[in-house]
Amino acid sequence: MLRSLSDLRNYALYAIDGKIGSIHDLLFDDKYWTLRYFVVDTGTWLPGRRVLISPVAVGRADWSSQQIRVRLTRDRIKEAPAVNADPPVSRQEENRLASFYAWPTYWAMRDPPVIPPQEAAGYREKAHASSNGDPHLRSLREVSGYHIVTRDGVQGHLDDLIGEEGSWGIRYVVVDTRNWLPGKRVLLSPKWIDSVNWSQAQVFVDVTSEQIKDAPAYDPAMPINRAYETRLYDAYGRPTDQ
């Protein structure tokens, strides 16, 4: 099922043996467009501390009560290495967390390349540089409000991200068109994003303003079903498997 990621902010998180806090933010990577961490504000339980919880430790959410269960104990979370929950999160901190919880390292390549000896030194330097922090790890709070720029320069705003419960892959970007189509929000696939200028807070998309105008409006109160997705992809002239 597809869910608004912004709606998850302030949901309560419960460990096996009690509440641990509420979701303050969500971190996703803009390379694979997948949720990587829930940033949890632990409130009065661990004052002044925010912890990162990987989706691999998360069970199904109770949407009616706005609660999410975590397959960890409070003591286990309390004993975990402290990390800076604001991106860029250092790769060393991610490694420590993954090792402590026995989480899979999502950044690890399945088939490491065979590197010629003459290139090995440069590869090691690149790997060392990337260990300072993952440049692809982004905060939902950070990107909310970014300008969406179409091929013909018309702008909207990034309003939300839509993720798939379970896999936590990001299926859609929600665009608020209030600058030129008051009251309308539409969806875009991350696959249609050409580039992101993080310093200028701009997302450049491979669609026209006319296509956005013709796209079916997104209503968060209505489910995103196959019929809606077919209309959406038709409006953008894209095959539904893209």
Side-chain angles (χ1 to χ4, degrees):
M1 185 171 290
L2 300 181
R3 297 287 182 180
S4 158
L5 296 189
S6 288
D7 282 354
L8 294 179
R9 293 196 301 231
N10 298 319
Y11 269 40
L13 260 71
Y14 282 81
I16 295 169
D17 51 353
K19 186 177 180 180
I20 59 175
S22 60
I23 297 175
H24 170 75
D25 198 1
L26 301 103
L27 303 185
F28 68 97
D29 79 62
D30 65 355
K31 183 176 182 181
Y32 298 105
W33 289 90
T34 300
L35 180 66
R36 298 304 184 191
Y37 297 106
F38 294 90
V39 182
V40 184
D41 186 337
T42 58
T44 57
W45 175 48
L46 298 175
R49 183 175 169 186
R50 289 179 182 153
V51 299
L52 299 182
I53 300 294
S54 168
V56 303
V58 169
R60 292 187 64 84
D62 184 336
W63 304 105
S64 60
S65 63
Q66 299 188 351
Q67 296 179 2
I68 297 178
R69 298 286 170 176
V70 177
R71 294 185 291 268
L72 298 166
T73 64
R74 283 161 56 97
D75 281 347
R76 189 69 173 159
I77 294 169
K78 185 176 182 179
E79 294 165 0
V83 300
N84 176 14
D86 297 321
V89 180
S90 79
R91 187 48 50 81
Q92 288 93 335
E93 289 181 320
E94 287 193 274
N95 269 313
R96 285 199 295 270
L97 275 183
S99 177
F100 179 82
Y101 286 120
W103 290 340
T105 52
Y106 66 87
W107 58 87
M109 293 180 291
R110 292 182 180 178
D111 300 306
V114 177
I115 306 166
Q118 64 271 22
E119 298 178 18
Y123 182 85
R124 283 194 298 271
E125 290 174 4
K126 182 178 179 181
H128 177 73
S130 68
S131 69
N132 293 327
D134 185 351
H136 294 290
L137 203 58
R138 301 289 174 180
S139 155
L140 176 58
R141 285 184 179 272
E142 172 202 351
V143 303
S144 297
Y146 271 31
H147 294 281
I148 301 288
V149 185
T150 65
R151 283 187 219 154
D152 42 352
V154 175
Q155 296 191 8
H157 293 85
L158 192 156
D159 186 59
D160 198 358
L161 298 175
I162 304 296
E164 187 167 15
E165 183 186 3
S167 71
W168 296 108
I170 296 171
R171 288 273 297 275
Y172 294 108
V173 173
V174 181
V175 181
D176 186 335
T177 64
R178 61 181 179 270
N179 287 353
W180 55 289
L181 294 174
K184 184 175 183 180
R185 288 191 286 182
V186 300
L187 300 183
L188 292 172
S189 168
K191 296 178 182 179
W192 308 336
I193 293 176
D194 277 337
S195 63
V196 182
N197 186 325
W198 299 105
S199 62
Q200 298 298 317
Q202 292 178 313
V203 181
F204 296 88
V205 295
D206 184 27
V207 301
T208 66
S209 57
E210 193 66 22
Q211 287 173 318
I212 287 182
K213 183 178 179 180
D214 293 340
Y218 166 65
D219 181 353
M222 301 296 291
I224 301 173
N225 54 29
R226 177 55 63 184
Y228 174 86
E229 289 185 296
T230 298
R231 291 169 52 216
L232 181 72
Y233 277 69
D234 283 349
Y236 291 115
R238 309 292 173 114
T240 53
D241 60 349
Q242 189 180 62

